[in-house]
Structures are given as C-alpha cells and as structure tokens.
Amino acid sequence: MASPRLETYCCPNRDAATQLVMDFQPEVFCGVCIGSASISLILTILQLLPKKGQSPRKMPKASSSSTILLLISICDILGGLGMIFRSSVWLGFPGFIANISVVNGTDVWPSTFCVGSAMWIQLLYSAGFWWLFCYAVDSYLVVRRSAGLSTIVLYHMMTWGLAVMLCVEGIALLYYPSLSSCENGLEHAIPHYITTYAPLLLVLVANPILFRRTVSAVASLLKGRQGIYTENERRLGTEIQMRFFKIMLVFVICWSSNIINETLLFYLEMQPDINEMPLKNIRTAALITWIIMGVLNPMQGFLFTLAFYGWTGWRVDLKWRKREIPWESLSSSTAGENAYPAPVNYQSNIHDSKKISTTDSQQTDEAISMLSEGNTSSDERLTRSSPIYQGW
C-alpha cells in the first residue's frame, strides 16, 4: 500500500493520526498487503507473458504508447515487490521494527529500512502515475501526428526526473533536521503529502480531459479517412473510448480510498485530542479505508493489464522463439515479431502507384491501431476497412 504515512511513521515523534493507523492490527494489515500484492504480481506477470495460440505480429514501427503501457506494469510490479518485502519484514521481525520508535537509538538499521522501503514504494507508484499521464499525452499526440519514438526519451526524463525530485524533496522536508529528531508539525508534513499526491491528482484531473480530446480527434480521423463514418468505424471509436474509461475507472477504484483516508487523518491531526468520543466515527472510517488501501493499491497492476489488453488467457507459451518478447521493447528501436498484445500490422509492400494515395490512410490506421492495441476485434475491423487491406 502506498501512503505518505509510511514515511511519517519512521519519525520517532510521529503524529497521533499516523500512530493510530499504523498500530491498528498490524499483523492483519501486513497480511492483507502481502496477499493482495502477491495475487496482483502473479496475475500481472501472467497477463504479460506470451500465450499459446497467439500468432506473432509484426509492427510497422515501434510504438511509444505500447512501451509506456509496459512501463506502467513494470512500475506496478516493482512497487508490489516493495510492499511484499516491507510487510514480510514487519511480520517476521517485530523486535527489529520496534526499534523504529526508539528516540535517539544507536541502531540505525531499523530506521534505514523504514525510510528505504517507504521511499521505494512511493517512488515506483509515483513514477507509474507520471507514466499514466504520459500515456494520455502520447495518445493525444499520436492522433495529432506529433508523437513517435523520439518522444519516449522525453517521457523518461520527465517521469523519472519528476518522480525522484518530488520524492527526495518531500522526504528531505519531512525528516528535517534529521531522522532521529524530526520536527513535529504540519509545516513539515504537508509538503511531503503534497509531493506524494500531486501526480495522483494530476492523473485524476488531466487524464480525463486528454482522453476526451483524443476520442474527439479519433472520431474526426475516422470520418476523414474515407469521407464516411461506417458502423465499424463508429464501433471502433466507441471501443477506444471504453478503453480510456476502463483505465480511469481502475485508477479511481484503486486510489480514491487513499484520498479519503488522508483527508480523514488530516482532519484528526487538526484536533487537540483524536481519542475524543465525538471523533469515534471518523477514527473508524479512517481505519476502514486504511485496510481498503492495503487491498486495492497493490491490485492496480493486474487491473490495469485487464484495462490495457483484456484477459489474455492462462495458456502461457514459454518456448524460445526468435522474436521480440515484451520487455525487449524497452531498448529496441526497431520492430520485430511479437507475441505480446501489440498493434496490428499493415502490409507496406504495396504497388508504387498506390503509395501516395494511401499514405495518409496508413498513418491514420497506425495511429488508431496504437490506441486500440490489444483489442483483436478492433484490429480486425480496422484492417478490413483500411484502403491498404482493400487494395489487396
């Protein structure tokens, strides 16, 4: 589970609201986190592995959108591994964890583990948020014919640069002047919470706007491709819109509990005594959403693969073949054969007399294909309605 409270707990003089949630059934909470993260990890990897019965597909050019989708899944996998490791140590070595609360203690390893594991989880999920924002930007630029392989370098610089900068800045302000003597006050905690939730709120606000603009641009492309708007093209546009909707639905389901929980805990921090009876319902709601976070946050990885590619099946094909595998696309700038869900291939060896007349249609088809990646029915309809397909 990703929460700024994980870093706050590393301070010996932590606030009462953080102490409330971290002390609430820690064994149950850690077990929930391990179970949810493990299930999500296994199913996510299963989704990404090549499957039997899938014919290799060739890509006309490497897609930055497909690379971004894979990077989002990788961030979720690594973040889930961080949750499993942190929760396992929490359960297996309670005496080691108890030393985190010792003020001016001589053993620095408990605090180092606390800070390091919390930063690892925050950094990976924050990077996943930035990659999701980049996906929305890239989808819009692809339709506008302004994106390509060169932009993936800019996305890497923006995503990892902002994720590291915000994480380090928030941690530095939280642990000022030192980890053993953190300043107790909201003026140090609030900047940390802002740097944690800024990318999450950016995705919640900006991505729906970008997705809506992309859907509108897709409709214009489909209408202008042949001058008509057929039932197949209308259905394809609807499926792209549904794909964007599923992505945002998964994101809201997995992270809305974090926003609710943080709002409740922040309200409790503002009270002189959080144990007062009038605050009982608020404390109960905070504890319930805390457990829900432990279930939903790690499940984002698997749910995203369902939104990206649909269910890819159980029949994993682990036989070695001379073709590109999913994780090779991170460093490959050329297309190759791929059993991973990928944009459909369009024949490029057409007659010279048809090249000029079909260039715009081919670019449009490739742009739409990137957005409908992993949807077999969409790919087939797009291929059959393509002038390139009809020319054969």
Side-chain angles (χ1 to χ4, degrees):
M1 177 270 306
S3 170
R5 300 289 167 173
L6 298 181
E7 289 94 345
T8 307
Y9 184 79
C10 301
C11 290
N13 56 344
R14 64 190 71 91
D15 60 273
T18 300
Q19 191 73 43
L20 171 70
V21 292
M22 296 298 293
D23 287 346
F24 177 69
Q25 300 292 335
E27 296 83 6
V28 175
F29 178 74
C30 291
V32 167
C33 289
I34 293 174
S36 179
S38 299
I39 294 173
S40 178
L41 184 66
I42 294 172
L43 293 177
T44 301
I45 295 176
L46 177 66
Q47 282 279 89
L48 297 179
L49 290 174
K51 303 299 188 301
K52 294 179 180 179
Q54 287 183 344
S55 59
R57 298 171 181 172
K58 293 182 180 179
M59 297 168 60
K61 59 181 179 180
S63 166
S64 56
S65 294
S66 62
T67 302
I68 292 174
L69 295 182
L70 182 58
L71 286 168
I72 293 173
S73 296
I74 290 175
C75 288
D76 287 328
I77 290 173
L78 294 177
L81 287 173
M83 289 188 189
I84 294 173
F85 176 69
R86 179 185 176 94
S87 299
S88 298
V89 174
W90 219 272
L91 285 177
F93 304 94
F96 177 80
I97 299 301
N99 290 330
I100 297 175
S101 302
V102 178
V103 180
N104 297 325
T106 57
D107 190 358
V108 298
W109 289 112
S111 297
T112 302
F113 162 77
C114 183
V115 176
S117 60
M119 287 186 65
W120 173 267
I121 295 171
Q122 178 189 338
L123 178 63
L124 268 299
Y125 278 101
S126 178
F129 297 156
W130 286 113
W131 276 122
L132 194 58
F133 172 71
C134 289
Y135 175 72
V137 173
D138 188 76
S139 298
Y140 180 75
L141 294 180
V142 162
V143 176
R144 291 298 183 181
R145 317 278 179 83
S146 304
L149 268 181
S150 59
T151 56
I152 195 66
V153 178
L154 299 178
Y155 294 151
H156 272 289
M157 295 173 61
M158 183 183 78
T159 297
W160 297 112
L162 288 174
V164 172
M165 181 186 71
L166 291 177
C167 182
V168 172
E169 180 181 1
I171 292 297
L173 293 175
L174 178 65
Y175 295 144
Y176 177 83
S178 67
L179 181 59
S180 59
S181 57
C182 305
E183 288 287 348
N184 190 9
L186 291 177
E187 65 273 11
H188 294 276
I190 288 179
H192 173 57
Y193 299 153
I194 291 176
T195 56
T196 301
Y197 284 106
L200 187 153
L201 295 176
L202 176 66
V203 173
L204 284 176
V205 174
N207 277 37
I209 298 174
L210 290 171
F211 285 154
R212 180 178 292 275
R213 289 180 177 270
T214 302
V215 170
S216 300
V218 166
S220 300
L221 278 179
L222 292 174
K223 291 177 182 178
R225 186 172 55 178
Q226 300 183 61
I228 57 176
Y229 197 43
T230 65
E231 181 63 26
N232 284 341
E233 289 167 330
R234 184 179 293 105
R235 193 175 303 168
L236 177 60
T238 301
E239 289 181 356
I240 292 175
Q241 184 177 6
M242 282 301 299
R243 186 187 193 186
F244 290 156
F245 172 76
K246 290 176 184 177
I247 291 174
M248 290 308 305
L249 179 62
V250 169
F251 190 81
V252 171
I253 290 175
C254 291
W255 296 102
S256 57
S257 57
N258 292 61
I259 298 176
I260 296 173
N261 179 263
E262 198 59 53
T263 302
L264 295 174
L265 292 180
F266 185 79
Y267 176 79
L268 289 175
E269 284 189 49
M270 303 293 293
Q271 308 305 312
D273 184 9
I274 69 171
N275 294 316
E276 293 178 352
M277 282 301 297
L279 301 175
K280 180 180 179 180
N281 291 335
I282 296 179
R283 293 196 303 271
T284 302
L287 295 176
I288 292 174
T289 53
W290 180 255
I291 298 296
I292 293 176
M293 289 163 58
V295 176
L296 294 180
N297 288 182
M299 290 302 297
Q300 176 187 251
F302 170 61
L303 295 178
F304 263 157
T305 60
L306 291 178
F308 295 156
Y309 314 114
W311 175 246
T312 60
W314 297 95
R315 302 181 62 189
V316 178
D317 187 2
L318 298 180
K319 293 181 180 179
W320 170 257
R321 297 180 184 179
K322 193 68 176 180
R323 66 188 181 196
E324 182 181 311
I325 56 178
W327 43 87
E328 283 179 345
S329 61
L330 294 176
S331 58
S332 172
S333 60
T334 59
E337 294 184 346
N338 194 352
Y340 182 67
V344 68
N345 174 51
Y346 297 105
Q347 300 286 349
S348 60
N349 297 321
I350 61 178
H351 299 293
D352 293 340
S353 59
K354 297 182 180 179
K355 285 185 178 179
I356 297 177
S357 61
T358 60
T359 298
D360 291 340
S361 295
Q362 185 174 6
Q363 291 176 348
T364 300
D365 293 342
E366 290 174 357
I368 303 302
S369 176
M370 291 175 188
L371 298 181
S372 61
E373 178 183 3
N375 191 322
T376 304
S377 60
S378 300
D379 292 345
E380 291 176 353
R381 281 195 297 272
L382 181 59
T383 304
R384 293 189 178 276
S385 63
S386 171
I388 302 169
Y389 176 87
Q390 297 169 355
W392 284 93

